[in-house]
Amino acid sequence: QVQLVESGGGLVQAGGSLRLSCAASGRTFGNYGMGWFRQAPGKEREFVAAITWSGYYADSVKGRFTISRDNAKNTVYLQMNSLKPEDTAVYYCAARGKFGVATSLEEYAYWGQGTQVTVSS
């Protein structure tokens, strides 16, 4: 069983930056594929980024967001730069038992509670 706890969300002006963190329990964190998803009001949850040895991104965030992981700290990060109002959403961290990039919700077995990101115009 893996427990995920996100932090770092908040309110920021357009063009600003935020860094989300996701702390994971478990002694085999390095073997897990990790991802970030987001869900805006009235919309379905969507893929944002995933990481194995390197990052993989949705087109909407490519060049602005960076996913990284620190296996020694059991933590995955999402650095978000040049934020836009359309980035406003609840951001969720997710983990899967296979080490590989996955972009669909169904491929992830473990989810955090989410952290709100609001970007004002």
Side-chain angles (χ1 to χ4, degrees), residues 34-109:
M34 301 297 297
W36 286 96
F37 290 75
R38 67 186 181 186
Q39 188 166 17
K43 295 187 177 181
E44 295 185 349
R45 195 171 299 189
E46 64 176 7
F47 170 76
V48 174
I51 186 167
T52 52
W53 298 116
S54 59
Y56 184 83
Y57 302 93
D59 288 343
S60 59
V61 306
K62 199 173 294 182
R64 300 187 297 121
F65 291 11
T66 303
I67 187 172
S68 61
R69 66 191 298 165
D70 185 337
N71 290 340
K73 296 183 178 180
N74 281 16
T75 302
V76 63
Y77 305 97
L78 186 67
Q79 177 66 44
M80 306 185 294
N81 298 329
S82 301
L83 283 162
K84 305 175 182 180
E86 51 263 44
D87 294 319
T88 294
V90 177
Y91 282 71
Y92 296 90
C93 175
R96 59 195 297 261
K98 291 183 178 181
F99 193 75
V101 171
T103 62
S104 63
L105 279 71
E106 295 75 17
E107 296 180 273
Y108 289 86

Side-chain angles (χ1 to χ4, degrees), residues 2-6 22-25 29 34 93-95 110-114:
V2 176
Q3 292 185 325
L4 305 172
V5 179
E6 302 100 333
C22 173
S25 64
F29 175 77
M34 301 297 297
C93 175
Y110 307 103
W111 292 85
Q113 82 288 351

